[in-house]
Structure formats: structure tokens, C-alpha cells
Amino acid sequence: MSEQIAYWGYPTNILLASGCSAEAVAWCGKAGRKRPLIVTDPGVRALPWFEKLTATLRARCPDLVIFSDIRANPSLDEARNGANFFQKGSHDSIIAIGGGSAIDAAKGIALASQNPTYLEQFEWSQAMAQYPTLADYPKSELPPLIVIPTTAGTGSELSREAVLVDTDLHIKKVITHAELLAFCVLLDPDLTVGLPPGLTAMTGMDALVHHIEALCSPLFHPMSEGIALEGICLIAQHLPKAFADGSDLSARSGMLTASAMAAVAFQKGLGGVHALAHPIGARFGTLHGLLNAILLPYVMRANRNAIEPQMNRLARMLDLDGTGFNAVESWILSLRNNLNVPHNLHAVSLTENDAEWVGQQAVADISSSETNALPLNAEQYAAIYRAAVRGRLEDVTPF
Ligand SMILES: [Zn+2]
């Protein structure tokens, strides 16, 4: 066999329509299942539309049960508890409703429901080493997932990964399995109209960072690159509108689409923004999308020498005034400003005292730093972080 230069695995059934979340039980049926468990979080469960949706779903499936015993950053233990609940109820499929936390918990429950040790066995780096392609995974008969995202940002609805907290070690673990890709993703803009402007902005910026980091990753993946370019155009078109008027269904649909596309784009990898945001978020609890939104221009400036070709293409795609890096940077700064995103990390109570620690942790964040446009070291990450705390973009010199 010739040397493998790339491996690409691609998505699943995706529906986009106002009200399509009502089809969740029907999609369980298409998967040959009759006893779904709804997995959600307490926040989503309390939203005004939730009861109406579950009443509609119960009309087709009277025994429908809801599991919502999870926190904002779900843990491995919560996934195990959910798996017990799943087994005791003899469920055969999962309908995940919510943002990244609920969807990741649902994936953990799906994996642990077949075997509690799977949560360790399919830890990301171990699984990637053992199963280089999707076809190499053992057949685990995981229950099919029907996923209904209620924010437009994480992309978890279309990824095969879940982030779960190991409460003993105080770290976030990533698990992955070929069968964790949803059987069907239902993108229903009606469910996102109530998302407040601040959360709309932060989750939307997370999706933007996913696309930009994927576009700038040095891996060879032209399909993902094309998706990233188009995804950025969708965000440019729809995020300001969704922020200004949450009831704009066309803008909400555009953002749900762009967010889902981002999970496909970042098969090409993420970069330094996520490498920095992961450890900071794990330690200080700062919102992931907010951190990404603040950090993006600082990391882009550090990467500048390696990403000029991508920025030239992006500036043309977005039809910006000016060319290349400078035009894209101005666009991002003005978008960020219009969405009321602060320009510095000091505004979210972070200080330069932690710079050394952040730098070391960012380098250790293999999933992100290995696919950053440039191989940055701990000192360089620390320097980017310091500049971001001060809000001095001019202090970042391209490496
Ligand atoms: Zn992200």
C-alpha cells in the first residue's frame, strides 16, 4: 500500500428545518429503535419550549423518559450514572437535547451503557493510536444518538468526541469512538431563538474560531478547508443578525449550519486559540467561547507568517476592503467589537501571574498545539497570553 497522506471520514443524516426537532422519535424508528432516553441538562429542561417539545415526542412514544442529572461540565461519573439509568430503563437509543454539555454527556452515556470501562478504553490519544481509521474500531453496538443542538457553537452534534471531567484528577478527558457520530442531527432554529445575545455571540465566535483554526492547520485536508471557508462566510453573514435580533430564523438557521459545519472542518485540526483556552477554561471556569473570542486575534498575529495564503483567500471570499491578513484582522476586530467581546483577558479576571503555567499547559494540549499553523513553544504561548491579558495586540510579534 502506498503511504497514507490523509484519512477522511465524513458525516451523517443532517436535517435543517423549523420544527424538525419534533421528528426525533421518528428518527429513532428509522434506526430500528423504540425506547429512546432523552438526555439534557437542567437548564435546557427549564426552558419554555422544552415541555412542548417533549409532549409532542410523547405523542409518538408514550414511555419517553428524561435524564437531566448532569452539570455544565459533565463528568465521567455522571456519564456512568446516566448509563445505569439507561440500562435500568431498558432504553435502546438516546435523544440528546442541549448545548455541548448535554451532547457530550449523552455520548458518555452511550459509550458507558455498553461497558463502563469503555470510558477509559476510548480515551482520545489511546484510541487514535489504536484505531487509525474509523474502520479499525471494534463493533461496540453503541445505542444510536439523535442529536438536537440548542446552541450554535460547539459543533459537538457532528463530532465523534466528548469532553468529560475526571473529578479525581481535576482534568478534562476527551473520549472518542466511531459509533459516537450521531445517527441523525436535527437542526431546529426555533429552539435557538431564546438564546440571549451574549451567549449567541460567544457560541458563534467559538464556531468562527473552529473554522479559522481548521483553515490554518497545516494538515492536508482540502475538503475540510473548503467547508471552513464557506462556514466563515456563513458566520460573517448571519452572526451579527442573530446577535441583533434573536428571532431572525434565517440568521439562526445560518448559525446552526455554520456550527455543525465547523465540526467537520476541524477534522483538519484546531490551533493555538484552543490550546490556550482549554487549560484556562478548565482551571478558571471562563466560558470557552468567550476565551476563544478574546484570544483569536492574538494567536492569528503570532501565526501570521504561516497563514498569509489562507488569509488572502479568506479576504477574497469575504469580499473585504483591502487584502490578506490585515483585511481579515480588521474584520475580526470589528466583528468582535460589534458583539461586545472584550479586547483583553484582564476583563475576565485573568492575570499575567499565570502566564508561565498557561504556556506549559498550552504546549501539552496535543490536540490543538500539534495542528497550530506554527509549532509554538511554551514561552511563545506565554507571550501571547501576556499580550492578551494586557490587551496589547501590538506586543505580539509574528513568530
Ligand atoms: Zn471550541
Side-chain angles (χ1 to χ4, degrees), residues 206 210 274 288 292:
D206 188 23
H210 292 158
H274 277 80
H288 176 71
N292 280 350

Side-chain angles (χ1 to χ4, degrees), residues 75-234:
S75 68
L76 293 165
D77 289 338
E78 285 163 341
R80 286 192 195 97
N81 290 343
N84 282 337
F85 190 89
F86 180 93
Q87 281 170 334
K88 278 184 190 149
S90 303
H91 296 286
D92 59 10
S93 49
I94 294 177
I95 299 172
I97 307 176
S101 299
I103 300 172
D104 283 0
K107 289 178 183 170
I109 291 169
L111 200 55
S113 72
Q114 291 310 96
N115 186 335
T117 67
Y118 279 179
L119 290 175
E120 281 74 42
Q121 200 179 325
F122 294 99
E123 184 274 323
W124 194 83
S125 51
Q126 216 171 300
M128 293 310 262
Q130 215 172 338
Y131 314 114
T133 76
L134 296 173
D136 296 311
Y137 280 82
K139 296 281 170 281
S140 302
E141 304 296 336
L142 300 189
L145 290 158
I146 314 297
V147 179
I148 304 171
T150 58
T151 62
T154 73
S156 185
E157 62 275 17
L158 260 183
S159 79
R160 298 178 180 88
E161 285 80 36
V163 183
L164 296 168
V165 177
D166 184 323
T167 40
D168 293 334
L169 300 174
H170 304 289
I171 54 165
K172 287 186 176 182
K173 278 197 172 170
V174 181
I175 54 164
T176 186
H177 191 295
E179 294 172 35
L180 285 181
L181 182 67
F183 174 68
C184 180
V185 177
L186 300 169
L187 302 176
D188 183 347
D190 294 1
L191 306 187
T192 63
V193 296
L195 200 64
L199 264 181
T200 301
M202 299 321 151
T203 49
M205 284 301 287
D206 188 23
L208 176 65
V209 175
H210 292 158
H211 281 301
I212 290 181
E213 298 219 283
L215 178 67
C216 298
S217 146
L219 298 191
F220 178 65
H221 201 322
M223 284 193 277
S224 280
E225 210 159 306
I227 289 171
L229 282 166
E230 190 59 29
I232 296 166
C233 290
L234 282 174

Side-chain angles (χ1 to χ4, degrees), residues 8-21:
W8 303 317
Y10 261 66
T12 184
N13 300 296
I14 307 164
L15 269 80
L16 169 70
S18 216
C20 70
S21 52

Side-chain angles (χ1 to χ4, degrees), residues 150-363:
T150 58
T151 62
T154 73
S156 185
E157 62 275 17
L158 260 183
S159 79
R160 298 178 180 88
E161 285 80 36
V163 183
L164 296 168
V165 177
D166 184 323
T167 40
D168 293 334
L169 300 174
H170 304 289
I171 54 165
K172 287 186 176 182
K173 278 197 172 170
V174 181
I175 54 164
T176 186
H177 191 295
E179 294 172 35
L180 285 181
L181 182 67
F183 174 68
C184 180
V185 177
L186 300 169
L187 302 176
D188 183 347
D190 294 1
L191 306 187
T192 63
V193 296
L195 200 64
L199 264 181
T200 301
M202 299 321 151
T203 49
M205 284 301 287
D206 188 23
L208 176 65
V209 175
H210 292 158
H211 281 301
I212 290 181
E213 298 219 283
L215 178 67
C216 298
S217 146
L219 298 191
F220 178 65
H221 201 322
M223 284 193 277
S224 280
E225 210 159 306
I227 289 171
L229 282 166
E230 190 59 29
I232 296 166
C233 290
L234 282 174
I235 290 171
Q237 187 185 348
H238 294 294
L239 182 53
K241 289 182 188 166
F243 177 75
D245 176 8
S247 64
D248 182 335
L249 282 182
S250 157
R252 292 297 192 184
S253 297
M255 286 309 297
L256 275 172
T257 306
S259 164
M261 285 168 70
V264 188
F266 70 56
Q267 288 190 14
K268 189 169 176 275
L270 290 169
V273 179
H274 277 80
L276 287 161
H278 284 154
I280 300 171
R283 180 162 162 192
F284 300 103
T286 323
L287 272 180
H288 176 71
L290 176 58
L291 280 174
N292 280 350
I294 298 172
L295 285 162
L296 177 63
Y298 297 92
V299 174
M300 285 179 68
R301 210 175 254 212
N303 285 335
R304 177 173 185 157
N305 290 333
I307 62 173
E308 286 281 5
Q310 292 94 323
M311 294 302 105
N312 280 325
R313 291 169 67 203
L314 183 55
R316 287 200 299 275
M317 285 281 292
L318 291 170
D319 204 15
L320 299 176
D321 292 334
T323 55
F325 184 91
N326 289 338
V328 176
E329 185 183 73
S330 303
W331 169 68
I332 288 171
L333 291 175
S334 118
L335 172 69
R336 232 178 36 150
N337 193 39
N338 293 339
L339 299 175
N340 299 333
V341 174
H343 185 57
N344 62 70
L345 292 174
H346 185 65
V348 290
S349 307
L350 294 166
T351 70
E352 290 185 53
N353 299 343
D354 302 301
E356 216 171 296
W357 176 85
V358 169
Q360 285 160 0
Q361 296 295 313
V363 170

